[in-house]
Amino acid sequence: MDLSPLVLARIQFAANLTFHILFPAINIALAWILLYFKLRWRSTGDVAWLDAYRFWIRVFALSFGLGVVSGLTMSFQFGTTFPGFMERAGNVVGPLMGYEVMTAFFLEAGFLGIMLFGRGRVPEWVHTLAMSLVAFGVTLSAFWILVANSWMQTPAGAEMIDGKFYPTDWLQILFNASLPLRFSHMLLASVVTAAFVVLGVSAWQALRRPLRPGERKAFMTGLVLAAAVIPVQMLVGDTAGRLAAQTQPAKIAAIEGLWETQKGAGTVLIGWPDEATRSNKWAITIPYGASLLITHSLDGEVQGLNDFPDAHPPVAPVFFSFRIMAGVGVLMVLSSWGGLWLLRKRRWNPDALPRWALQGLAAMTFSGWVATVAGWYTAEIGRQPWVVYGHIRSAEVVADQPAAAFALSLSGFLLLYTFLLVSYIGTLVYQANKGIEPSQPARPAPAAMGELDG
């Protein structure tokens, strides 16, 4: 296996990105779910909504802290792993990262304390406003990050002079060709991820004992949200794939394991792409599948990898990560829609669901993580060998360090992130086992205790 400094640098960057993205993938949507819980309590007076809010805000706080810390590490990766990137593309990417800090991060940091500790200490409308601003802030943060990443995928609004990018049109940079679909795809991915975390934890609680009122509210919210959003996510993903076929045809060829340009190209359902022989081993192919999916025509032409002999991504990682994402997506559809169907037959009583159904939903708790990470791998590895597509190759901007140095730092990151991830999941399991404690009889909202008390 090739373990050159470039490969190790890419693995290290991917390891940092993988760990970091886990927490925004939950928190972007969870912030809005918490706001929904709060507003439902205010509008109905049903204290069960407040119970659900008080439980899940603890998960939000834990996820937010890990997301911020790992995000700072990601920033340093630009300088330590690929320093040439900021030297050549910093005139575009640098300001975008600065806007993210000055707008989104300051907004989140400014109102997070009120959101976590302010209820009962500030007027109720101030606390609700703070929650809204934090939810908006985490969404705005995702926007700026996706602007930068989408520009790297479909660069526009800048010209290269003496090997460096200089902005010429900031509107084109901000709203480049792939941003609308990639931003929508990420927001929907967060909704699905958070919905399955809420649903899975609630199903775990239902396996141990009858659900408490707040747990029942969370279970229903997660299930309905997951079932409603997944089809939309699939539609957006299909549209994004057709755009990528126009802007990054080598990525689509790697996803399909397609070596020769073909009309009426089939899609490889299962197989093993072999770059040495430029073929797929043990392939099971669906005739016309690739042409139908990508061009929406049975005889549509799809470019093959051999059209890009020195500029296509490593095929196997892209090929398999896409199938993992798609496979988990199918499981999400089956589990959420099947759960709704079973719940309807049980008169909307989660405690009446069969034990095997609850076990299945609990097993899907972190399915959103798997699908999101696999999707990011498909997008980012699929961009290789380019760091800015069509203009700057990763090999041109990697740090001038020996492989041993990258291997040492990579080992340290992997050990640390494994420890933090195990600790996070362990804390979530502890909180799930503890459950959502029912509140005392409803009291006026301003007199309620802080969310993190108890």
Side-chain angles (χ1 to χ4, degrees):
M1 179 180 179
D2 178 18
L3 290 179
S4 64
L6 174 60
V7 171
L8 289 170
R10 284 167 51 189
I11 294 174
Q12 178 169 300
F13 199 93
N16 281 271
L17 174 63
T18 299
F19 183 76
H20 172 64
I21 200 175
L22 299 178
F23 305 105
I26 291 177
N27 272 4
I28 295 170
L30 186 56
W32 294 103
I33 293 173
L34 286 168
L35 181 60
Y36 170 76
F37 287 161
K38 173 78 179 296
L39 294 177
R40 288 288 287 165
W41 167 58
R42 295 291 296 170
S43 64
T44 66
D46 186 348
V47 76
W49 290 108
L50 178 61
D51 294 339
Y53 165 81
R54 296 181 70 239
F55 177 87
W56 284 101
I57 201 171
R58 298 169 187 166
V59 178
F60 177 86
L62 178 62
S63 303
F64 189 91
L66 286 173
V68 169
V69 171
S70 57
L72 293 174
T73 305
M74 281 297 305
S75 300
F76 286 107
Q77 285 296 303
F78 286 114
T80 59
T81 309
F82 292 100
F85 170 69
M86 293 304 290
E87 180 181 347
R88 299 183 62 179
N91 292 326
V92 174
V93 177
L96 296 177
M97 297 295 97
Y99 298 151
E100 191 266 340
V101 172
M102 290 187 296
T103 58
F105 184 75
F106 282 179
L107 191 63
E108 299 164 38
F111 291 94
L112 181 67
I114 299 175
M115 176 180 175
L116 297 181
F117 304 105
R119 196 174 61 80
R121 298 179 175 90
V122 298
E124 196 65 29
W125 70 267
V126 173
H127 182 258
T128 302
L129 176 62
M131 290 186 64
S132 303
L133 292 174
V134 170
F136 177 72
V138 295
T139 307
L140 184 61
S141 178
F143 170 78
W144 288 117
I145 297 301
L146 265 295
V147 167
N149 185 267
S150 298
W151 180 83
M152 293 161 63
Q153 301 275 353
T154 51
E159 63 178 351
M160 184 172 280
I161 302 174
D162 296 330
K164 296 182 179 180
F165 274 106
Y166 292 88
T168 58
D169 188 333
W170 277 104
L171 283 179
Q172 288 188 28
I173 290 172
L174 290 176
F175 301 103
N176 57 81
S178 62
L179 172 70
L181 288 171
R182 289 174 61 80
F183 182 52
S184 301
H185 202 49
M186 184 60 208
L187 292 186
L188 292 169
S190 178
V191 173
V192 173
T193 300
F196 269 97
V197 169
V198 172
L199 174 61
V201 168
S202 302
W204 173 266
Q205 291 165 335
L207 286 167
R208 298 174 60 84
R209 50 172 169 71
L211 289 177
R212 296 162 182 165
E215 295 163 350
R216 186 184 299 269
K217 299 293 188 185
F219 184 99
M220 295 297 297
T221 299
L223 182 59
V224 172
L225 195 58
V229 171
I230 290 173
V232 183
Q233 173 72 317
M234 289 184 165
L235 178 62
V236 172
D238 173 70
T239 307
R242 286 189 286 122
L243 175 65
Q246 302 172 23
T247 59
Q248 297 180 345
K251 176 189 292 184
I252 297 300
I255 288 173
E256 295 296 335
L258 186 66
W259 302 96
E260 298 291 345
T261 299
Q262 298 178 29
K263 290 186 176 181
T267 188
V268 180
L269 186 63
I270 301 173
W272 188 278
D274 185 348
E275 291 196 50
T277 62
R278 314 294 285 181
S279 64
N280 299 314
K281 297 180 178 179
W282 314 297
I284 298 175
T285 303
I286 301 175
Y288 304 103
S291 290
L292 184 61
L293 288 171
I294 296 167
T295 69
H296 287 193
S297 171
L298 288 175
D299 62 348
E301 183 175 274
V302 183
Q303 284 187 274
L305 289 160
N306 290 336
D307 286 358
F308 314 95
D310 63 342
H312 71 69
V315 181
V318 180
F319 180 89
F320 288 115
S321 62
F322 177 82
R323 278 151 184 78
I324 291 171
M325 178 188 67
V328 173
V330 171
L331 289 177
M332 287 175 161
V333 171
L334 295 175
S335 59
S336 60
W337 287 14
L340 270 181
W341 181 76
L342 287 172
L343 198 60
R344 179 176 176 273
K345 291 178 69 68
R346 266 67 174 183
R347 298 182 181 274
W348 306 106
N349 179 13
D351 291 315
L353 288 175
R355 188 169 182 82
W356 60 264
L358 292 172
Q359 289 172 336
L361 292 174
M364 295 291 289
T365 300
F366 297 112
S367 57
W369 274 0
V370 178
T372 299
V373 169
W376 270 92
Y377 284 179
T378 302
E380 299 305 301
I381 301 175
R383 187 181 64 217
Q384 296 299 320
W386 307 100
V387 63
V388 177
Y389 195 81
H391 294 277
I392 303 175
R393 291 177 180 250
S394 301
E396 299 171 9
V397 296
V398 68
D400 184 17
Q401 296 291 334
F406 281 118
L408 181 61
S409 59
L410 173 60
S411 300
F413 279 122
L414 291 177
L415 288 173
L416 175 61
Y417 288 156
T418 299
F419 170 76
L420 290 175
L421 186 58
V422 170
S423 300
Y424 175 86
I425 294 175
T427 302
L428 189 58
V429 170
Y430 170 79
Q431 291 291 337
N433 290 338
K434 187 177 179 182
I436 300 179
E437 295 293 340
S439 298
Q440 298 298 320
R443 298 169 291 176
M449 297 175 63
E451 283 75 54
L452 299 185
D453 294 345

